[in-house]
Amino acid sequence: MIRNYIKNYEKYAILISILMIFFSIFLIVKPDISVLLFILLFGVLLVISGLGSLFSYFLTEKEDRLFSFDLISGILTILCGVFTIIYRNDLVQVLPIILGLWIIFSSLLKMQVAINFSSFSKSYLWLLLLEILMIILGVVLITNPFESIKAITTMAGIFLLISEVCSLVESIYILNTVKKL
């Protein structure tokens, strides 16, 4: 019973790994199209999520609707999804800038924490250095947004490729071990 479960699971894992390897190669070879497709997919998921909230609202008992925000959140989520789909090309240009600003803001807050730790430990210097590097990354994203997002997408593809090749080898190894048992 367990043996069959493991075999079926690992066969499924092999299939998923192969699909993810193809996806990672696509990320590496076509990073600009990958980002556009990601934003499109995100918009579609927002619309589906919004529709789920609307259905939830209308399928809920009247008494339970008194404190439900599903109607308005569903409508707003659908609108966000539709705008994401319609303006996906504009979002590709704005996304790295938003990401860069978020990284800078987040790093400044963490830099404050690192400075606060200075009275407790000398390891705060490493935290401070790391946050300075993150701020530089945020500035690079803002000053060179499209090339930066292509580089990030390519790096994500490389990491995903390495991860999935390892996962594929692991699944094949486990299947061979289970067959020998």
Side-chain angles (χ1 to χ4, degrees), residues 8 20 26 85 90-91 106 140 171:
N8 289 335
M20 293 303 285
F26 183 73
I85 293 168
D90 297 328
L91 285 173
S106 174
V140 169
S171 293

Side-chain angles (χ1 to χ4, degrees), residues 87-153:
Y87 297 109
R88 64 185 175 271
N89 292 325
D90 297 328
L91 285 173
V92 168
Q93 296 171 358
V94 175
L95 183 67
I97 296 169
I98 293 170
L99 184 61
L101 289 171
W102 179 75
I103 288 172
I104 290 170
F105 180 73
S106 174
S107 296
L108 287 172
L109 291 176
K110 290 177 184 174
M111 187 181 282
Q112 175 65 50
V113 171
I115 292 169
N116 292 346
F117 277 139
S118 67
S119 60
F120 299 111
S121 171
K122 292 187 179 194
S123 65
Y124 82 96
L125 288 173
W126 290 107
L127 294 172
L128 199 60
L129 180 64
L130 181 64
E131 297 314 321
I132 290 170
L133 290 172
M134 293 302 293
I135 289 171
I136 292 169
L137 173 66
V139 170
V140 169
L141 275 168
I142 292 171
T143 57
N144 196 1
F146 194 68
E147 290 303 316
S148 298
I149 204 73
K150 282 173 59 175
I152 290 171
T153 305

Side-chain angles (χ1 to χ4, degrees), residues 20-22 24-25 28 156-166:
M20 293 303 285
I21 287 170
F22 284 121
S24 65
I25 291 170
I28 295 167
I158 291 168
F159 289 134
L160 182 62
L161 179 63
I162 292 168
S163 169
E164 289 305 319
V165 167
C166 291

Side-chain angles (χ1 to χ4, degrees), residues 25-35 153-154:
I25 291 170
F26 183 73
L27 286 173
I28 295 167
V29 175
K30 297 285 187 182
D32 46 349
I33 295 173
S34 299
V35 172
T153 305
T154 303

